Amino acid sequence: MRALIQRVAEAEVKVAGESIGSIGPGLLVLVCAMQGDPDDTPAKLAARVAKLRIFRDEADKMNRSVADIGGSVLVVSQFTLAADTRTGNRPGFSTAEAPARGEVLYLRFAQSLRDLGLPVATGRFGADMKVSLVNDGPVTIWMDSADRA
């Protein structure tokens, strides 16, 4: 799985003009299941995201996790994180997981964050979504489960 994590002051996702998920301070996580992701990948990635220390402490150092600050997480599926841009001008997405399994892994990721005690809002898998955010910092982190042993 791939995740693009943004520290936010607030974030919201809308479908057809209707707000379906919003958070205050916390993380916006854009996530993509990749072909070959094992069944345990969502829980492992969720644990890494939950422990990621990118929030400021009293010394103004990035030393606190989203749980430490009492923040929330907005999880939005984004298959375009699988983009292959090595050739040509049109990205390819053949390494993204098939939609049916991709949705299962996406939902498991969101549930794994909930199981860790985090408040989680979500987008709608496969929908045309409008995501708005106020990036805090800005702080943006890339994670790929394939990069970790």
Side-chain angles (χ1 to χ4, degrees):
M1 292 186 90
R2 291 182 177 168
L4 186 69
I5 303 148
Q6 296 180 312
R7 187 177 77 187
V8 298
E10 60 187 54
E12 178 180 36
V13 60
K14 293 181 178 183
V15 173
E18 175 188 348
S19 178
I20 62 166
S22 65
I23 62 167
L27 300 174
L28 168 61
V29 182
L30 305 173
V31 67
C32 175
M34 304 295 290
Q35 286 183 9
D37 280 337
D39 288 342
D40 63 349
T41 300
K44 287 181 177 180
L45 184 61
R48 289 178 64 201
V49 169
K51 294 175 187 174
L52 188 63
R53 298 182 334 186
I54 60 172
F55 292 90
R56 294 180 186 97
D57 64 12
E58 59 281 345
D60 205 32
K61 299 218 184 268
M62 289 197 302
N63 203 28
R64 291 191 171 155
S65 70
V66 67
D68 293 337
I69 65 144
S72 301
V73 183
L74 176 58
V75 179
V76 176
S77 63
Q78 187 167 352
F79 81 94
T80 60
L81 292 177
D84 181 352
T85 58
R86 291 176 292 179
T87 62
N89 294 316
R90 182 175 178 196
F93 304 104
S94 62
T95 58
E97 184 57 87
R101 179 152 162 74
E103 182 174 15
V104 168
L105 295 176
Y106 159 74
L107 293 172
R108 283 185 191 164
F109 174 75
Q111 186 57 50
S112 294
L113 289 168
R114 288 184 188 103
D115 292 346
L116 293 168
L118 295 171
V120 176
T122 62
R124 184 173 300 143
F125 188 90
D128 181 19
M129 296 175 277
K130 306 296 183 212
V131 180
S132 60
L133 68 138
V134 176
N135 201 322
D136 179 18
V139 175
T140 303
I141 305 289
W142 171 264
M143 275 191 193
D144 190 325
S145 62
D147 293 339
R148 184 128 173 171

